[in-house]
Amino acid sequence: QVQLVESGGGLVQAGGSLRLSCAASRRTSYAMGWFRQAPGKEREFVAGITWSGGSTEYADSVTGRFTISRDSAKNTIYLQMNSLKPEDTAVYYCNAATTILALHRGESRYWGQGTQVTVSS
């Protein structure tokens, strides 16, 4: 009953920045966040945020470089990605879960279709 649509992916040079957006089709009380899947690798957790925006989690690989935020009025979350590295190249998927713990575990009720991020060296 909730559609998640990602946007903002693209091609960027190493050291550059991108901001991803994920818009939900209706208001929710879900924790939301981002996973990514690089070529030849399993999907991995990137970042998550509670429905209130009061708590966030990050993968060690992106801590200090990525920032997740939420605009509940717009049913939208964002992922600000700075100091991008070639190893950040992946399809980034928005997801929503009943709790941030479930989200971190990939036990999410809704998934977006993904947006491609490519970082050149």
Side-chain angles (χ1 to χ4, degrees):
Q1 292 184 341
V2 177
Q3 307 295 129
L4 303 177
V5 180
E6 303 98 332
S7 62
L11 175 64
V12 65
Q13 291 182 309
S17 298
L18 286 172
R19 189 178 75 159
L20 305 184
S21 299
C22 174
S25 60
R26 66 173 178 84
R27 296 176 181 83
T28 75
S29 59
Y30 294 117
M32 296 179 66
W34 299 89
F35 275 63
R36 68 186 181 187
Q37 188 165 24
K41 296 185 178 294
E42 295 184 351
R43 191 174 297 188
E44 65 176 351
F45 172 80
V46 176
I49 188 167
T50 58
W51 71 268
S52 67
S55 182
T56 58
E57 294 184 2
Y58 297 94
D60 290 343
S61 60
V62 307
T63 296
R65 299 188 297 119
F66 291 10
T67 302
I68 189 169
S69 60
R70 185 168 195 155
D71 186 341
S72 295
K74 296 181 179 180
N75 307 321
T76 300
I77 63 166
Y78 306 93
L79 186 67
Q80 179 66 46
M81 304 185 294
N82 298 326
S83 302
L84 283 162
K85 304 175 181 179
E87 51 263 44
D88 295 318
T89 295
V91 177
Y92 284 71
Y93 297 91
C94 180
N95 62 315
T98 54
T99 68
I100 196 165
L101 177 60
L103 186 148
H104 186 272
R105 293 173 173 174
E107 299 169 355
S108 301
R109 183 165 297 183
Y110 303 104
W111 292 87
Q113 295 301 305
T115 185
Q116 176 71 49
V117 172
T118 302
V119 183
S120 62
S121 59

